[in-house]
Amino acid sequence: MAISPELSGRLMDRCLAGEESAFGELALMVQDDLYRFALAHGLNCHDAADATQETLLRAYNKRLSWQAGRHAPAWLYGFAMNVVREFRRKAGRRGLTGLDPAVLDGLEDRRPETNAGHDADAADRQKLLAEAIGRLPERQREALACRFLQGLDVSQTAAAMGCAEGTVKAAVFAAIENLRKSVKFEA
Amino acid sequence: MSDVEKNNPQRPDDNLLKDLLSMGGRIRRQRYPGNAWQDARARQSSPASAGRGRFLRLILPALTAAAALIFIAIGVSHILNPTARPTGIKITRTDQPDQADETFFALPIPSGPQMMGGTALEMASSSDLPMPDASRLPGNFTMSFQLPEISMPTAASAGIEWKTPSLTMTSFERS
């Protein structure tokens, strides 16, 4: 995770002290991570951008609830998780439940070196895998997305999901077991 | 080795794990296109957003409150007046089908407990309520009274002399 707890915490402290520009600095620092967080949880690129903005607005509107010494990334991911859940509910009504194919196909990242070695089999496998992730129960999918796709550690995932670390570990384990059953890979 | 690789209970050469980490790598290369905070502030101050905010803050609660008041009013009226109460009597002739629905006279029934002891016609004769115009009643009719919970024997016993007392008193007007 790229968000520095110390730096983001100091920026929030400055924001709470009345320095409005500090939140702008914080937003610039965390926007990519919040964007990736939304993508990892299955939003498409447009919804992920909207969700990033919405997360920042909510954090700003709730800035008075910030307490010095708190873990700022976990505080922000808590807002992000709620926003993502709302967006997923809306997207679910439109039939969008899996990971955005545009992200998986690398349409937004056309640097040649990033697509090197990406064969058709791997693309098909990842497409199947993305669909299988979309079919997982919500808690398992969220835990898997935080841990594997976003790269958060267990404690950060637990803070974002609002549950215990043991719950995260169990959910990740169950998610992988379910994925093994639904997607058959060659050894 | 990444954190998830170290902590995941599966084999590191697992294709599933590799694919998950590969997908994660793709996602972690994505970047927000622009400045999210500026976009958020711009969106917040846009007229469309302001309109939606005004709708959510003002109009929606007002509509909800109005609907709740109407619902409560209907509920209270049902509690106070649980059954339909007749407020009038129509006298119609029934011997001729083509005139079955013709109303010759509509007698309002006063509401309240005094209704229980008498008849509608008695009430009419002892009050300022309009009396039937018997001259308007043609032909031979059979008069009967079909009022629930109200004893209405005949027009004669009610003290009204009908020249053609062959009517059917059937229907009720509701307020």
Side-chain angles (χ1 to χ4, degrees):
Chain A
M1 189 185 63
I3 301 177
S4 159
E6 295 78 19
L7 183 53
S8 54
R10 279 200 298 274
L11 286 169
M12 277 309 301
D13 290 342
R14 282 168 50 195
C15 178
L16 203 62
E19 195 179 335
E20 296 283 320
S21 62
F23 194 86
E25 289 180 46
L26 175 68
L28 205 57
M29 191 173 78
V30 302
Q31 66 174 20
D32 289 339
D33 275 277
L34 296 178
Y35 181 63
R36 293 165 194 150
F37 185 89
L39 289 174
H41 284 82
L43 300 192
N44 64 38
C45 301
H46 302 293
D47 284 347
D50 285 347
T52 304
Q53 298 166 21
E54 183 64 29
T55 300
L56 290 172
L57 281 174
R58 287 192 191 183
Y60 181 77
N61 291 334
K62 294 284 184 184
R63 63 191 182 282
L64 295 180
S65 70
W66 167 256
Q67 294 166 337
R70 282 182 73 174
H71 195 271
W75 185 70
L76 286 168
Y77 281 128
F79 290 112
M81 182 58 83
N82 286 333
V83 170
V84 161
R85 283 172 180 158
E86 290 173 21
F87 272 74
R88 277 192 65 86
R89 275 197 289 274
K90 292 178 193 167
R93 286 185 221 121
R94 300 197 303 262
L96 303 172
T97 53
L99 293 174
D100 186 2
V103 175
L104 295 179
D105 292 342
L107 295 180
E108 291 199 333
D109 188 357
R110 292 180 179 277
R111 291 174 297 174
E113 65 271 21
T114 61
N115 284 330
H118 181 65
D119 56 51
D121 287 345
D124 289 344
R125 246 184 8 243
Q126 292 196 0
K127 189 181 173 190
L128 286 174
L129 185 56
E131 290 171 357
I133 291 172
R135 290 194 297 270
L136 287 174
E138 184 178 26
R139 189 173 285 268
Q140 291 178 21
R141 183 178 38 72
E142 288 177 354
L144 190 86
C146 286
R147 296 281 288 120
F148 281 85
L149 305 183
Q150 175 75 0
L152 304 185
D153 63 27
V154 174
S155 64
Q156 291 161 346
T157 302
M161 291 177 63
C163 63
E165 293 186 12
T167 308
V168 171
K169 291 176 185 172
V172 169
F173 187 84
I176 290 176
E177 289 301 304
N178 280 336
L179 288 180
R180 282 188 198 289
K181 288 174 190 167
S182 58
V183 183
K184 302 293 182 189
F185 291 103
E186 291 177 7
Chain B
M1 185 179 282
S2 74
D3 175 58
V4 286
E5 285 173 299
K6 280 186 287 186
N7 294 318
N8 190 65
Q10 312 302 325
R11 300 188 311 273
D13 60 343
D14 193 322
N15 276 340
L16 174 63
L17 181 61
K18 283 181 182 174
D19 280 334
L20 281 172
L21 292 173
S22 169
M23 289 166 66
R26 284 171 172 275
I27 287 174
R28 284 195 289 276
R29 283 197 295 272
Q30 306 298 319
R31 302 178 70 84
Y32 182 89
N35 185 318
W37 184 231
Q38 283 180 2
D39 294 344
R41 298 295 291 263
R43 190 178 67 169
Q44 194 180 31
S45 59
S46 71
S49 172
R52 189 177 58 182
R54 191 180 303 119
F55 178 78
L56 291 176
R57 281 197 312 274
L58 301 175
I59 299 174
L60 192 60
L63 287 175
T64 306
L69 281 175
I70 290 170
F71 188 77
I72 290 170
I74 292 172
V76 168
S77 73
H78 268 274
I79 290 169
L80 296 179
N81 185 15
T83 56
R85 181 177 295 158
T87 56
I89 305 169
K90 280 182 182 175
I91 302 174
T92 56
R93 56 184 299 175
T94 55
D95 62 329
Q96 295 181 17
D98 60 328
Q99 297 182 34
D101 294 327
E102 186 179 349
T103 299
F104 291 99
F105 171 67
L107 177 67
I109 298 176
S111 61
Q114 73 272 18
M115 205 46 230
M116 302 304 293
T119 68
L121 295 179
E122 284 172 339
M123 295 297 293
S125 62
S126 61
S127 69
D128 295 333
L129 294 172
M131 292 298 293
D133 180 7
S135 63
R136 291 185 55 214
L137 304 177
N140 294 319
F141 298 92
T142 300
M143 176 168 278
S144 62
F145 300 92
Q146 298 171 11
L147 289 174
E149 301 176 357
I150 300 171
S151 174
M152 299 283 287
T154 60
S157 66
I160 298 174
E161 188 175 336
W162 298 87
K163 289 181 180 176
T164 53
S166 321
L167 290 176
T168 298
M169 192 174 284
T170 55
S171 59
F172 314 97
E173 293 284 345
R174 293 180 56 182
S175 59

